Amino acid sequence: MTIGLVATLKIQAGKESEFETVFSGLRSQVLANEKGCLQYDFFKSKADGTTYIVMEQYATQADLDAHGKSEYFKAAGAKFGGLLGGAPSLVFADKIG
């Protein structure tokens, strides 16, 4: 069953460009190396320029688990620590249909 994940990330003011650079690099790695990742996109809120939405889809739970264990995800996570303005909000969902 396809698993969806929506992550909402609040970024510290003034660090948006740095976040976008780090996330773009991570996105490239994910799409190049994770065949079970069906979607990995990020969006900037029109209402609040320091809020980003990440939309992800994985073919299986194992694919989602592998994503979180990848070296490039861990490396990006270390960089995100100095950019985030708080803990991300994560919503996991099962795809219907």
Side-chain angles (χ1 to χ4, degrees), residues 28-74:
S28 294
Q29 290 288 320
V30 168
L31 296 177
N33 295 297
E34 298 181 29
K35 302 307 176 211
C37 180
L38 309 174
Q39 179 185 15
Y40 203 73
D41 296 312
F42 72 116
F43 302 83
K44 187 174 192 174
S45 170
K46 289 186 176 193
D48 177 1
T50 61
T51 298
Y52 290 79
I53 313 301
V54 181
M55 296 182 185
E56 307 173 38
Q57 288 187 57
Y58 298 89
T60 67
Q61 182 64 47
D63 293 317
L64 173 58
D65 294 343
H67 168 71
K69 294 176 183 175
S70 69
E71 290 304 315
Y72 46 85
F73 181 81
K74 291 176 187 177

Side-chain angles (χ1 to χ4, degrees), residues 3-8 54-56 58 64 88-94:
I3 299 165
L5 169 58
V6 177
T8 303
V54 181
M55 296 182 185
E56 307 173 38
Y58 298 89
L64 173 58
S89 167
L90 305 176
V91 176
F92 295 89
D94 292 327

Side-chain angles (χ1 to χ4, degrees), residues 9-29:
L9 307 166
K10 184 76 170 172
I11 306 305
Q12 295 176 35
K15 299 200 175 192
E16 299 89 349
S17 180
E18 187 177 353
F19 169 77
E20 290 175 18
T21 298
V22 172
F23 195 90
S24 291
L26 172 60
R27 183 177 186 274
S28 294
Q29 290 288 320

